Amino acid sequence: MSEILYSYNPATKELVGEVNVTPVSQIKEIIDKSKIAQKKWFDLTIDERIAYLQKAGDILNQQTQSLAVLLSKEMGKDINRSSGEVGGCANDILYKANEVKSAIKTQVFSNYGVQTQMQYNPIGVCAVIAPWNYPMAMAHWLIIPALVAGNSVVYKPSEETPLIAQAYVEIFQSVLPEDVLQIVQGDEKQGKALVNSDVNLIAFTGSKEVGEDIMKNSSKGFKRLIMELGGKDPLIVLDDANIDKAARFAVASSFENAGQMCTSTERIYVDKKILKSFEERVVLYAKQYKVGAWNDSSANIGAIINDNQRNRILNHIDDAKQKGAKVLLGSDNHPDGFILPTVITDVSEDMLLFQDETFGPVVAISSFENVDDAIKRANSSEFALGASVYGQGDIEKVAKELDAGMLGINQGSGSIADTPWVGAKSSGYGYHGSPDGHRQFTQVKVVSKGQY
């Protein structure tokens, strides 16, 4: 009898659905089929591959609402955010595919009677291991460039969100050639088996600890790695900052997706001269947020994915309180499944709120007296995914010296162009997005031809 993976609504604990767990013993067969499918997939032209993917995008568009409801029930985010996630995936396939097509176009060089081509060929079988917080989008960002480049993909979703992953894959499978995209359902046992299998590339989004384990276990065969790992994003607010704008961003970034976002603002350093004004503004805006189920139209902070993560957030809050931090907004009586919007000040580096990834709706504030100290403290974390700074006079100094793969000046770290999603230090190994990121799903081959 097959093992069953059950998926529950994090707000109500009600069963949403179930899928069959993939037996570890079947993973070799899955990879073998994927290898055969990859050869045929690469034999198609890139335009033919894109046409297949666009058909899947059309179906995603038609089913956006039902898929969004499933995503919300399973993960806990509100229906508007889920609709945006599903719709974004549906609508960006052609755009993203053409970006990849341009990035991996063969380059030709000629001189001295020799013609050299620099080709970007597929690597082979790509394993995609994606998280639960953006359960469609974060897999989609890896799967599409891998497929456009001519690879086949085996996708291992989080065991927290297996249903939306299954629905996504089945839509693609309904139009793609057989075995070009396959899914492996299960927990860390299936993940480890996939990493240890005969895949050629592993694209992973998740924790630093799992990333380290993947690096160790993927060394046999020299598997290629693309990994986005943890974040502990700092925000520095200088004394000449637009306090209102900085406070709005601090709250929005800390509370987005119930704080369950890799680029959430998790550490805020405010110049002591404007601390009180900043705190007052933060509390004012934080009070406008309300927790609630995915179908509560008045709610903008959804459920926490599971009890383990909820207890982790509560532990971080309690640790800060016990060590002298002050709660400006929050409660000890959090509804089951949720964390109420929380604002804490006088946070210091010895507190868990400034050490480990919290991943919850908490605004954590500290103060500084000089900019060099703020930069040093912001850079003290092993993580360096994103960062932001608000102000004017010292803005360029702070931006230059902050450790981060992505940096926002008087805004968040998101960019407006096809740039990489990239982390520094322990937050990343390789990256995806942008022409260079798309090329990481390929093997460069240099072919030179002389005169006969």
Side-chain angles (χ1 to χ4, degrees), residues 172-449:
F172 278 83
Q173 288 177 335
S174 71
V175 297
L176 291 176
E178 189 174 12
D179 298 327
V180 168
L181 174 61
Q182 298 183 80
I183 189 167
V184 169
Q185 294 279 17
D187 56 19
E188 64 177 23
K189 295 189 296 295
Q190 283 70 25
K192 288 181 177 179
L194 184 58
V195 168
N196 286 312
S197 70
D198 192 22
V199 297
N200 304 100
L201 179 148
I202 301 166
F204 169 73
T205 304
S207 72
K208 166 183 171 280
E209 292 73 22
V210 176
E212 288 176 338
D213 192 63
I214 288 174
M215 289 189 75
K216 180 175 67 176
N217 288 291
S218 64
S219 59
K220 184 178 180 181
F222 295 97
K223 297 180 177 74
R224 301 289 184 86
L225 298 176
I226 302 171
M227 299 198 294
E228 181 210 320
L229 307 175
K232 195 69 185 170
D233 286 13
L235 162 64
I236 293 179
V237 185
L238 303 174
D239 63 352
D240 55 359
N242 182 321
I243 296 175
D244 187 74
K245 187 177 179 181
R248 282 179 182 270
F249 169 76
V251 173
S253 180
S254 299
F255 290 171
E256 177 60 32
N257 204 32
Q260 300 171 126
M261 182 173 67
C262 51
T263 53
S264 288
T265 295
E266 295 216 353
R267 297 175 295 143
I268 302 173
Y269 302 92
V270 184
D271 191 291
K272 187 166 286 187
K273 293 189 288 291
I274 61 169
L275 177 63
K276 290 302 178 184
S277 296
F278 180 81
E279 290 173 342
E280 289 170 359
R281 282 286 168 178
V282 164
V283 171
L284 175 68
Y285 293 125
K287 285 181 177 179
Q288 298 174 14
Y289 283 74
K290 175 191 171 185
V291 300
W294 67 272
N295 55 353
D296 181 349
S297 61
S298 66
N300 39 27
I301 296 181
I304 304 302
I305 188 65
N306 57 37
D307 287 340
N308 286 338
Q309 177 57 26
R310 183 171 178 271
N311 290 335
R312 176 188 178 91
I313 299 165
L314 292 174
N315 183 42
H316 282 203
I317 293 171
D318 290 341
D319 173 78
K321 289 159 62 176
Q322 291 168 13
K323 293 176 180 174
K326 299 176 184 176
V327 177
L328 301 180
L329 181 70
S331 170
D332 292 330
N333 300 313
H334 299 273
D336 188 33
F338 297 87
I339 296 291
L340 292 171
T342 302
V343 179
I344 300 181
T345 193
D346 292 346
V347 181
S348 55
E349 269 64 28
D350 64 330
M351 300 175 186
L352 293 175
L353 277 176
F354 268 17
Q355 292 178 353
D356 301 332
E357 195 169 27
T358 303
F359 236 53
V362 181
V363 182
I365 304 171
S366 185
S367 64
F368 66 86
E369 293 187 359
N370 68 78
V371 172
D372 288 330
D373 176 58
I375 296 170
K376 180 180 178 181
R377 291 167 63 195
N379 286 343
S380 65
S381 173
E382 64 179 323
F383 297 113
L385 187 57
S388 297
V389 54
Y390 277 71
Q392 298 181 71
D394 287 320
I395 203 85
E396 296 300 331
K397 169 184 171 65
V398 176
K400 179 180 179 180
E401 297 184 20
L402 268 183
D403 295 336
M406 300 175 286
L407 176 74
I409 298 175
N410 290 315
Q411 65 157 57
S413 58
S415 70
I416 60 170
D418 182 24
T419 56
W421 187 264
V422 57
K425 295 163 69 173
S426 294
S427 286
Y429 187 92
Y431 52 87
H432 58 89
S434 80
D436 285 340
H438 301 326
R439 292 174 188 135
Q440 292 195 55
F441 292 91
T442 68
Q443 170 63 55
V444 175
K445 185 175 185 180
V446 177
V447 180
S448 296
K449 181 179 180 181

Side-chain angles (χ1 to χ4, degrees), residues 5 14 54 64 68 79 85 102 143 148 150 159 174 195 208 277 283 357 365:
L5 179 59
E14 294 174 343
Q54 186 55 44
T64 292
I79 190 64
E85 182 171 343
S102 176
I143 289 171
V148 173
E159 61 270 31
S174 71
V195 168
K208 166 183 171 280
S277 296
V283 171
E357 195 169 27
I365 304 171

